[in-house]
Amino acid sequence: MRLHTGALCALLFLNLSAEARWQEVFVPLSGPAALQDLAELGIDLDPCGMTLEEGGLRMPLQEQEVGQLVRAGFLPQVLQADLEAHYASRLGASRDFGAYFTVSEGYSAIWQLHNDYPGLVAAPDTIGYSLEGNPILAVKLSDNPELEEDEPELLYTSLIHAREAITLSQLLDFATHLCENYGSDDRVTHLVDNREFWFVPVVNPDGVLYNEQIAPGGGGLWRKNRRDNGDGTIGVDLNRNFGFMWGFDDFGSSPFGNDATFRGSGPFSEPALQVLRDFVGQREFRMALNYHSYSNLYLHPWDFEESYPPTADLEFFRDLCHTMADHNGYAVGTAWELLYPVNGAAGDWFYGDTLHHEKCFSITPEVGSSSDGFWPQESRIPALLAASLEPNLRFAEMAEDCDGSGLPDALEARMGLLEDCNGNGLADLCEIADSLVADCDGNGVPDACESQYCDGLILFEDFEAESGWSVGADGDDATTGLWVRVDPNGSEAQSEDDHTPAGSQCFVTGQAAPGAGQGSNDVDGGRTTLNSPSYDLSAYDDPWCEYWRWYQNSTGDNPDADLFEVELSVDGGGTWFPVETVGPAGTESAGGWRSFRFRIGEIAPAGADTRFRFIASDEGGGSIVEAALDDFALFQTSGCSDPTPLAPLLGISRQGSDILLDWEPVVESQAGCPLEGVLYTLWERADGGDWLELGTTATTVWVIDGALAGETTRQYRVSALLP
């Protein structure tokens, strides 16, 4: 929502001391207008640490701000009266800062990586100093870290806000993973060989050192740097001090020094950001991750106002975020979409200020949930690191630039400059060049893209538009989580993205609010049915059906207790035949997009009124049930290889008393290239008797020892089993 700055003239702001006690509160909200009322009171609405929940907003506030809300007519519920003490109570005493890194420990860890892996990690470089004279380090990780190579440069930063302890932990975990797995993990090795990773582990050392002083065991809640603002207040929010759209309005940042989002006296007024600005200007970063906590979000530009980047850039931003969110279920969007506008922040500056550096696609991850907070309990650290590790790898993969243009291939594909037929973010020509996909006919198109449905596609439904599908059937009794066609908001149980590479819409069982918990609007209390339209398949000799489904019932208090069922009718719904049943347990019930393909005629003869339906059921209390459907296709096999074909037997030759059989491989119907993973079974028959199986091979040659002994008429055939 856009707010008007004129409302500020009537505001009164409290002079909050630097050591004011922080509390965690839940503020009930009656609607969007109430969120605006909070902003007009001067309450800092920052995605770092605020979570929209059902009925209101969960947020950290200083004690005086809570009183301010009460006087304004709000009814805040105090969840933690002393948030710093709460955080400290759940941290162990294994070292300073609990299990988290002090500034010196973080810098020591970076130096240790260099000492342990000097061929991968360059000596850390002091790129400048903070306001209080503390060094700011940057370190490069690559296969030739001391050389400048023509490879995509990626930047990862953390601790721009001093209290967001997990951000440094995940950055060091990622760097360590790259080093420890280089040479043994093909994926990691490819990335390190073809990227230049840069890390700035502590952007705000002054603020972190102050937290070390006031809370040496961890749990300190100081956020800003330590600038004396000259009016009795301390600190500038470094993530409101970047030069692009600095001070755009007084809602996305604050002009008052006592506020947590105080933007400073001018753009880049703070030495730490001047250091980062100059460093970025000397490099050629095309992509960056600036880590924060918490809220389980991936934020992308624009954040300063309710607008979007140009279409191709927006789609690339969404691709980046959803590629990462598919692993951890984080919500995706701009700051104003998910909560409130932010100005003077890193993400907009990296992307928007192209006068001082190359355009850089910057994402802001917010790590952890509201229960994790700024200082997650130690038992949660491994899970939070895992939730970031895979996305960090995927982010790096999305920087692929095989044509050397300086732009990520996935962006060029969005701009129409490169082909990406399978929508995986890698240009076709690069996948072919790196032998990641086959192109045996040499036409520059991956074989899989040419032959998915051969020439026999009857219908393809990506659900991007209304197409006659309906919800509801006799016996449906679910109270929530009914099927709906939407751009899904992900959770730990539901997909954040549809399956169609260039699409956004699919059918899901209930749309949850962004950032909501995994049980929000899932299937409860019974079953919900999604019905296809009627299809006339009577003119097709051998029609097939394929669809992509997502099903998750493996979480909650009663996991693995529910079913996902698919049924087929060939008489307009009079009789229904089972196609498949997923669940109640197994890998197919653990989420993720999975395809299923079947020959309709093996179930019932396809007719003029063929229909399909998809049923998700909640069979037991306490379970989390989520389902989704996308990319529904009907096709026929004319022009395609039969699923159990006979391979042409080319020749029979004699080698002494042995017989040598050889045959043509089964090929793709369009590309005409050998299929990979085919198994061939050899059969023999003597004097017109029964066929006997000789064995199975993945080659196209078979030798039969001593087969010509005696006077017997022998026949041979070869069958093929497709992968």
Side-chain angles (χ1 to χ4, degrees):
M1 68 196 71
R2 286 290 294 116
L3 302 178
H4 300 286
T5 56
L8 283 176
C9 62
L11 301 185
L12 295 176
F13 291 85
L14 296 175
N15 186 10
L16 304 180
S17 69
E19 287 77 23
R21 185 166 64 173
W22 285 86
Q23 299 182 329
E24 184 179 36
V25 300
F26 178 79
V27 184
L29 300 176
S30 58
L35 194 62
Q36 180 171 340
D37 292 340
L38 281 179
E40 292 180 353
L41 284 173
I43 300 299
D44 299 315
L45 298 178
D46 180 35
C48 294
M50 295 190 180
T51 306
L52 278 173
E53 298 181 353
E54 185 174 355
L57 184 65
R58 183 170 175 173
M59 60 196 304
L61 289 176
Q62 296 186 67
E63 191 171 17
Q64 297 93 326
E65 293 176 299
V66 178
Q68 186 182 4
L69 290 182
V70 173
R71 290 189 293 274
F74 287 91
L75 299 173
Q77 303 165 13
V78 176
L79 305 178
Q80 295 293 339
D82 188 334
L83 191 55
E84 184 173 301
H86 167 67
Y87 286 145
S89 70
R90 62 187 194 181
L91 298 178
S94 57
R95 63 183 188 193
D96 293 342
F97 259 25
Y100 295 99
F101 292 89
T102 64
V103 173
S104 63
E105 289 170 346
Y107 284 174
S108 295
I110 287 291
W111 273 103
Q112 190 63 50
L113 280 178
H114 165 66
N115 293 333
D116 292 343
Y117 302 95
L120 298 177
V121 181
D125 181 22
T126 299
I127 58 175
Y129 295 87
S130 67
L131 176 69
E132 295 184 337
N134 293 301
I136 298 173
L137 300 187
V139 63
K140 177 183 176 183
L141 191 158
S142 189
D143 60 329
N144 295 299
E146 304 297 341
L147 300 179
E148 292 289 337
E149 297 183 292
D150 187 17
E151 297 172 346
E153 298 184 29
L154 304 175
L155 177 64
Y156 296 75
T157 73
S158 59
L159 282 180
I160 191 170
H161 287 152
R163 61 191 179 187
E164 296 167 10
I166 192 66
T167 63
L168 175 57
S169 298
Q170 70 79 29
L171 185 147
L172 293 173
D173 179 71
F174 177 49
T176 301
H177 179 83
L178 295 177
C179 293
E180 290 181 346
N181 290 276
Y182 180 78
S184 59
D185 183 297
D186 290 343
R187 183 187 189 193
V188 168
T189 303
H190 175 79
L191 287 174
V192 173
D193 284 346
N194 294 279
R195 304 287 188 274
E196 294 187 353
F197 293 91
W198 282 91
F199 302 94
V200 179
V202 185
V203 178
N204 181 12
D206 297 353
V208 181
L209 288 167
Y210 182 68
N211 274 330
E212 294 180 29
Q213 174 186 334
I214 63 173
L221 289 173
W222 188 258
R223 164 189 170 103
K224 302 184 285 184
N225 73 354
R226 294 297 295 165
R227 165 75 68 183
D228 185 341
N229 297 319
D231 59 359
T233 65
I234 301 293
V236 171
D237 182 351
L238 297 185
N239 205 39
R240 301 296 186 276
N241 192 238
F242 285 87
F244 186 81
M245 295 299 167
W246 178 89
F248 177 76
D249 60 31
D250 292 337
F251 294 101
S253 64
S254 172
F256 300 97
N258 51 10
D259 285 343
T261 56
F262 175 50
R263 59 182 173 250
S265 59
F268 286 113
S269 62
E270 303 313 297
L273 284 201
Q274 296 168 16
V275 169
L276 185 62
R277 175 197 63 194
D278 295 344
F279 171 67
V280 171
Q282 297 166 5
R283 309 302 316 170
E284 295 181 355
F285 295 120
R286 289 295 189 175
M287 291 165 53
L289 284 178
N290 297 295
Y291 266 90
H292 289 259
S293 70
Y294 56 90
S295 286
N296 285 351
L297 306 175
Y298 286 122
L299 302 175
H300 68 77
W302 296 114
D303 289 332
F304 73 95
E305 68 169 1
E306 292 187 23
S307 64
Y308 294 106
T311 299
D313 287 3
L314 174 62
E315 291 176 345
F316 181 58
F317 271 124
R318 299 287 205 199
D319 288 345
L320 282 174
C321 292
H322 286 306
T323 297
M324 294 186 289
D326 280 346
H327 174 73
N328 53 29
Y330 283 13
V332 170
T334 64
W336 59 265
E337 285 178 310
L338 297 178
L339 186 62
Y340 216 70
V342 167
N343 59 59
D348 282 0
W349 176 76
F350 272 94
Y351 175 68
D353 183 3
T354 56
L355 295 178
H356 300 96
H357 58 78
E358 298 285 351
K359 180 166 69 175
C360 178
F361 288 82
S362 176
I363 304 297
T364 303
E366 297 279 358
V367 178
S369 66
S370 56
S371 60
D372 293 316
F374 295 117
W375 295 83
Q377 57 188 353
E378 294 186 17
S379 62
R380 283 281 294 150
I381 293 176
L384 291 172
L385 298 185
S388 292
L389 177 59
E390 174 64 22
N392 281 333
L393 292 167
R394 294 182 183 186
F395 183 82
E397 288 172 331
M398 289 288 283
E400 189 75 26
D401 178 25
C402 68
D403 63 348
S405 66
L407 296 175
D409 298 334
L411 173 60
E412 291 188 285
R414 284 297 192 184
M415 297 169 66
L417 301 178
L418 286 177
E419 292 296 326
D420 176 21
C421 75
N422 57 15
N424 65 353
L426 300 176
D428 296 343
L429 65 91
C430 304
E431 290 190 283
I432 293 169
D434 291 340
S435 300
L436 300 177
V437 297
D439 177 31
C440 58
D441 58 354
N443 67 350
V445 179
D447 297 340
C449 297
E450 293 185 285
S451 60
Q452 183 179 11
Y453 302 115
C454 305
D455 293 319
L457 184 64
I458 300 170
L459 173 142
F460 181 77
E461 178 56 73
D462 59 10
F463 301 121
E464 296 303 309
E466 173 61 38
S467 57
W469 288 64
S470 63
V471 176
D474 291 343
D476 278 8
D477 52 358
T479 56
T480 62
L482 275 62
W483 287 100
V484 61
R485 187 177 65 85
V486 293
D487 181 352
N489 295 322
S491 70
E492 293 180 27
Q494 184 61 278
S495 174
E496 172 66 25
D497 206 359
D498 74 329
H499 179 263
T500 313
S504 62
Q505 304 284 312
C506 65
F507 274 98
V508 300
T509 49
Q511 176 76 305
Q518 64 175 353
S520 176
N521 208 13
D522 73 317
V523 182
D524 279 330
R527 56 179 261 172
T528 178
T529 303
L530 174 64
N531 307 289
S532 79
S534 172
Y535 300 114
D536 184 357
L537 302 180
S538 59
Y540 300 100
D541 294 332
D542 189 19
W544 286 62
C545 176
E546 180 183 75
Y547 50 83
W548 287 82
R549 56 167 162 75
W550 175 294
Y551 184 58
Q552 164 71 273
N553 77 335
S554 61
T555 60
D557 296 332
N558 187 25
D560 300 329
D562 313 287
L563 299 176
F564 180 80
E565 299 165 280
V566 183
E567 296 180 345
L568 163 73
S569 174
V570 294
D571 61 359
T575 304
W576 289 96
F577 299 94
V579 173
E580 68 160 339
T581 298
V582 184
T587 58
E588 299 282 305
S589 302
W593 284 108
R594 302 171 188 271
S595 65
F596 187 80
R597 175 182 289 199
F598 67 97
R599 177 182 257 142
I600 295 172
E602 291 182 352
I603 298 175
D609 194 357
T610 302
R611 300 169 185 253
F612 306 83
R613 66 183 185 185
F614 301 81
I615 306 166
S617 301
D618 174 30
E619 305 286 344
S623 58
I624 305 297
V625 180
E626 293 282 16
L629 180 74
D630 204 4
D631 293 346
F632 177 89
L634 298 172
F635 62 99
Q636 59 180 339
T637 57
S638 61
C640 296
S641 299
D642 188 273
T644 55
L646 290 178
L649 192 60
L650 280 187
I652 302 177
S653 58
R654 180 171 177 171
Q655 292 184 344
S657 62
D658 299 336
I659 289 180
L660 176 65
L661 305 176
D662 64 299
W663 56 91
E664 285 186 352
V666 174
V667 299
E668 294 276 8
S669 60
Q670 288 189 351
C673 311
L675 276 173
E676 295 183 4
V678 178
L679 294 177
Y680 300 95
T681 302
L682 275 295
W683 306 81
E684 179 185 66
R685 169 165 85 171
D687 294 329
D690 294 333
W691 286 100
L692 301 177
E693 181 179 338
L694 296 178
T696 300
T697 179
T699 70
T700 58
V701 177
W702 187 272
V703 176
I704 304 173
D705 297 333
L708 293 184
E711 296 183 3
T712 304
T713 301
R714 298 177 184 268
Q715 295 174 291
Y716 298 94
R717 71 179 185 184
V718 184
S719 64
L721 177 64
L722 302 188

